[in-house]
């Protein structure tokens, strides 16, 4: 019988660009990710304790979270709805009956001695995530499952010279473990997958995706094989909490495995950790199999049963998701796939663009939003919400360009002033005298002065008409960029004896 894993393996032909050159030939990387996404919820999965980040240690712990004897878990219905919402957003099958199991293992920060998770019967089944790669390729990554589980606490080893402490604030926080099929073939695809998954979760409002706060982290399964060869033994890199580190960890781990195999060694299936300081992975423990955990259904929790109309109600409340939004921006505004992809990266970005573009030239709006505006945000480290320039103000700036009040060059100057001061563009134009000069007489006088001062350039332009651009630049410079470029071009062409259309 062909397994899902093997089916996934067969459906993609390797690309030259993704192969790693070794001493004995080319190697292919096979990647699957298990992403742990913290459910956006005020309370934990089985208790009413707060999930607020950054609280004082052990200040958000109920008797259930601390595993006091006799305490019983009570399912948080909102977390269940969030998992269903995520499953629908991943175009996945929703299982109307799922079961919570006990996954037995010991850690100091797991007082129960087991983790409540879903093993055989998860709440969400197969789905998919579509990746739009920078080179224009589309890669479809299958989702194997999504299951709900509770997080463990946190061991603190740096608070005392001879003792370790345990903080149970995270104990019991709801996680969605989203398991991909092994459909990725490069670190680039893995980074694109986590980025797209995070975008979808943020659109849905089911996970804030803040990796620096531990809300999203990934276990990365890496194996290598010669092209066409059977699958290799995989190693799992645990708890990687940055998209950049995911890429670095994959590249190091793949090369490590190749070096071992080419030296005649064998890969040991194990769990490894990534060290960002060295850029290397190191062994953590041998890889456990499911039977090591002695899974069994949690006797304190009944099977989780959903009604189809409950699922349907959640489906009708879904927002427009990134893929659908991208398709609409392309069809409705005539944007390029690249511009649309940049804009849908965050729903706030797309909303900002649509507010600017409403009733205006969409291409001009897209150029300004993805160009000068995003550049300024990145330069200053601002989010859309922190931007000193509003969509209304940027729209006004575009109106001033479109009606000929200012030139595109002056618009950039005005935008910089808007970003620094928050002033409206029309006010800046009036206060700083930046209105575009359209007076034919004034522009003609400026052109005559430039021509008179540069007779040699005039002669050269007769042989090489492209030099007319130099005259345009000189006239714009002499008018401080305020001359109407179209008028300048028309008059200049006439005076130099050139065709006005170039």
């Amino acid at each position: 019988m062909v397994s899902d894993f093997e089916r996934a393996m067969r459906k993609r032909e390797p690309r030259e660009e993704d192969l790693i050159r070794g001493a004995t030939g080319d190697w292919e990387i096979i990647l699957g990710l298990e992403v742990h996404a913290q459910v956006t919820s005020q309370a934990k999965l089985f208790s009413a304790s707060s999930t607020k980040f950054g609280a004082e240690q052990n200040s958000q712990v109920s008797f259930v979270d601390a595993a006091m004897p006799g305490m019983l878990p009570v399912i948080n219905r909102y977390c269940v709805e969030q998992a269903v919402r995520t499953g629908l957003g991943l175009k996945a099958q929703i299982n109307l009956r799922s079961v919570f199991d006990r996954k037995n293992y010991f850690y100091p920060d797991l007082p129960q001695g087991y983790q409540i998770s879903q093993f055989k019967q998860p709440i969400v089944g197969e789905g998919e995530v579509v990746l739009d790669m920078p080179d224009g390729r589309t890669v479809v990554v299958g989702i194997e499952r999504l299951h709900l589980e509770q997080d463990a606490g946190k061991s603190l080893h740096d608070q005392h010279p001879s003792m370790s402490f345990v903080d149970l604030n995270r104990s019991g926080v709801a996680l969605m473990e989203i398991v991909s099929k092994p459909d990725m073939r490069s670190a680039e695809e893995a980074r694109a997958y986590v980025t797209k998954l995070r975008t979808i979760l943020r659109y849905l409002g089911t996970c804030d995706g803040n990796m620096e706060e531990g809300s999203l982290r990934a276990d990365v399964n890496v194996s290598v094989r010669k092209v066409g060869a059977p699958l290799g033994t995989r190693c799992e890199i645990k708890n990687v909490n940055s998209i950049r580190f995911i890429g670095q960890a994959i590249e190091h781990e793949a090369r490590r495995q190749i070096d071992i195999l080419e030296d005649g060694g064998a890969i040991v299936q194990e769990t490894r950790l990534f060290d960002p300081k060295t850029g290397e992975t190191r062994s953590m423990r041998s890889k456990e199999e499911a039977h090591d955990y002695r899974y069994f259904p949690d006797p304190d929790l009944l099977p989780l049963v959903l009604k189809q109309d409950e699922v349907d109600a959640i489906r009708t409340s879904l927002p427009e998701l990134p893929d659908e939004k991208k398709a609409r921006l392309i069809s409705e505004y005539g944007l390029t796939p690249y511009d649309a992809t940049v804009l849908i990266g965050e729903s706030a970005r797309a909303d900002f663009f649509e507010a600017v573009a409403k009733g205006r030239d969409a291409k001009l709006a897209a150029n300004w939003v993805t160009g000068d505006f995003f550049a300024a945000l990145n330069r200053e480290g601002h989010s859309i919400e922190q931007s000193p320039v509003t969509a209304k103000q940027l729209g006004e700036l575009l109106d001033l360009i479109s009606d000929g009040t200012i030139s595109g060059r002056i618009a950039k100057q005005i935008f910089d002033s808007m970003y620094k001061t928050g002033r409206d563009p029309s006010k800046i134009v009036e206060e700083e005298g930046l209105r575009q000069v359209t007076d034919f007489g004034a522009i003609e006088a400026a052109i005559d002065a430039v021509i008179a001062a540069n007779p040699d350039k005039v002669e050269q332009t007769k042989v090489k008409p492209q030099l007319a651009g130099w005259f345009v630049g000189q006239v714009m410079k002499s008018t401080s960029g305020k001359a109407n470029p179209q008028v300048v071009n028309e008059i200049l062409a006439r005076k130099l004896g050139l065709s006005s259309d170039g």
Side-chain angles (χ1 to χ4, degrees):
M1 180 179 177
V2 178
S3 68
D4 287 345
F5 192 86
E6 290 169 318
R7 269 196 294 274
M9 290 296 308
R10 293 174 181 177
K11 72 181 182 184
R12 286 193 65 186
E13 291 296 323
R15 296 190 327 135
E16 277 292 316
E17 302 90 321
D18 294 336
L19 298 178
I20 298 180
R21 314 292 176 218
T24 60
D26 293 340
W27 295 82
E28 186 180 19
I29 311 177
I30 310 299
L31 299 167
L33 270 66
E34 300 168 16
V35 172
H36 291 83
Q38 180 177 331
V39 176
T40 298
S41 167
Q42 299 287 323
K44 296 181 181 179
L45 184 55
F46 298 114
S47 82
S49 298
S50 172
T51 60
K52 187 175 180 181
F53 177 78
E56 184 181 352
Q57 292 158 3
N58 291 312
S59 63
Q60 299 175 169
V61 187
S62 72
F63 288 141
V64 172
D65 308 325
M68 290 293 147
M71 295 298 108
L72 294 175
V74 177
I75 190 75
N76 180 340
R77 198 71 184 177
Y78 182 71
C79 292
V80 173
E81 293 172 2
Q82 291 285 67
V84 172
R85 191 173 175 81
T86 303
L88 293 171
L90 297 175
K91 302 178 177 60
Q93 168 193 341
I94 305 300
N95 297 324
L96 298 182
R97 185 180 188 278
S98 59
V99 175
F100 283 103
D101 303 285
R102 289 186 177 181
K103 182 181 181 182
N104 296 276
Y105 62 98
F106 173 80
Y107 276 123
D109 51 18
L110 186 69
Q112 292 169 150
Y114 59 84
Q115 179 187 29
I116 302 177
S117 181
Q118 294 184 315
F119 175 49
K120 290 184 178 177
Q121 300 179 69
I123 189 168
V124 175
E126 293 188 342
E128 66 178 32
V129 174
V130 179
L131 310 182
D132 298 313
M133 303 304 295
D135 59 8
R137 284 181 300 132
T138 296
V139 176
V140 179
V141 177
I143 297 297
E144 179 71 35
R145 57 191 271 139
L146 178 159
H147 62 256
L148 277 168
E149 64 183 25
Q150 58 177 178
D151 204 355
K154 184 179 181 181
S155 295
L156 305 171
H157 304 296
D158 58 354
Q159 310 287 302
H160 190 277
S162 60
M163 291 189 288
S164 290
F165 300 99
V166 173
D167 177 11
L168 294 179
N169 276 359
R170 287 193 68 86
S171 178
V173 164
L175 300 178
M176 297 178 286
E177 182 168 332
I178 304 168
V179 182
S180 84
K181 293 179 183 290
D183 289 347
M184 289 160 274
R185 297 291 182 271
S186 67
E188 181 187 29
E189 290 183 4
R191 288 193 296 265
Y193 169 74
V194 177
T195 301
K196 184 65 175 289
L197 184 60
R198 183 173 63 172
T199 299
I200 293 171
L201 295 173
R202 284 176 167 170
Y203 268 62
L204 292 166
T206 55
C207 173
D208 62 25
N210 293 332
M211 300 185 82
E212 66 277 10
E213 296 179 1
S215 300
L216 195 77
R217 52 190 193 268
D219 300 342
V220 187
N221 286 290
V222 182
S223 69
V224 298
R225 67 170 184 175
K226 285 287 182 65
V227 176
L231 290 173
T233 302
R234 68 181 186 274
C235 291
E236 179 187 57
I237 309 169
K238 197 77 177 169
N239 281 335
V240 190
N241 62 354
S242 141
I243 292 175
R244 181 165 61 93
F245 292 163
I246 287 172
Q248 292 176 351
I250 290 170
E251 287 168 359
H252 176 270
E253 178 61 19
R255 176 51 68 182
R256 184 190 73 86
Q257 293 185 17
I258 291 169
D259 289 346
I260 290 174
L261 293 170
E262 294 199 323
D263 286 343
I267 303 302
V268 177
Q269 185 169 339
E270 61 181 351
T271 299
R272 300 180 66 84
L273 290 175
F274 175 69
D275 185 343
K277 293 179 182 174
T278 62
E280 299 177 349
T281 65
R282 66 173 187 273
S283 183
M284 178 184 178
R285 60 175 185 256
S286 61
K287 175 65 180 175
E288 299 90 343
E289 299 294 344
H291 62 261
D292 294 329
Y293 292 115
R294 301 291 189 273
Y295 279 101
F296 60 86
D298 192 309
D300 292 333
L301 289 162
L302 292 171
L304 179 59
V305 178
L306 303 171
K307 295 179 181 175
Q308 187 59 51
D309 57 359
E310 295 175 309
V311 175
D312 293 341
I314 295 172
R315 190 191 306 276
T316 59
S317 71
L318 294 184
E320 183 181 41
L321 292 170
D323 291 340
E324 289 74 29
K325 191 181 287 289
K326 177 183 174 183
R328 184 174 61 77
L329 292 181
I330 291 172
S331 64
E332 192 172 317
Y333 294 97
L335 299 187
T336 63
Y338 174 80
D339 282 346
T341 300
V342 170
L343 288 167
I344 63 160
E346 294 177 19
S347 58
R349 288 183 171 204
D351 291 344
F352 189 94
F353 161 74
E354 292 204 77
V356 174
K358 189 174 182 179
R360 300 187 175 94
D361 181 331
K363 183 58 183 171
L364 182 63
N367 287 344
W368 271 89
V369 172
T370 61
D372 294 69
F373 180 64
F374 283 175
L377 291 179
N378 291 335
R379 186 173 60 247
E380 302 300 328
H382 289 157
S383 65
I384 288 275
E385 292 77 12
Q386 295 168 324
S387 168
V389 175
T390 66
K392 181 173 181 293
Q393 288 175 314
L394 187 54
E396 285 179 15
L397 182 68
L398 268 54
D399 290 340
L400 294 173
I401 299 171
S402 298
D403 67 14
T405 302
I406 58 173
S407 66
R409 177 176 169 179
I410 290 294
K412 291 181 179 293
Q413 177 183 333
I414 294 172
F415 176 79
D416 288 341
S417 181
M418 290 164 62
Y419 205 92
K420 290 175 183 170
T421 66
R423 288 188 296 167
D424 291 337
S426 54
K427 195 169 185 180
I428 295 172
V429 169
E430 297 308 323
E431 290 179 353
E432 299 183 15
L434 298 175
R435 189 175 288 273
Q436 185 168 240
V437 175
T438 55
D439 181 283
F440 277 70
I443 292 175
E444 189 168 20
I447 290 173
D448 287 342
V450 173
I451 288 176
N454 298 279
D456 55 332
K457 292 280 186 185
V458 173
E459 291 303 315
Q460 291 172 21
T461 304
K462 291 176 181 175
V463 180
K464 195 174 182 182
Q466 296 92 323
L467 286 177
W470 181 86
F471 284 95
V472 175
Q474 294 301 304
V475 173
M476 296 304 290
K477 185 177 179 182
S478 69
T479 59
S480 301
K482 292 188 287 186
N484 184 312
Q486 185 178 352
V487 176
V488 171
N489 276 303
E490 289 174 0
I491 298 176
L492 195 55
R494 175 164 50 82
K495 287 185 176 288
L496 293 176
L498 305 172
S499 169
S500 60
D501 60 7

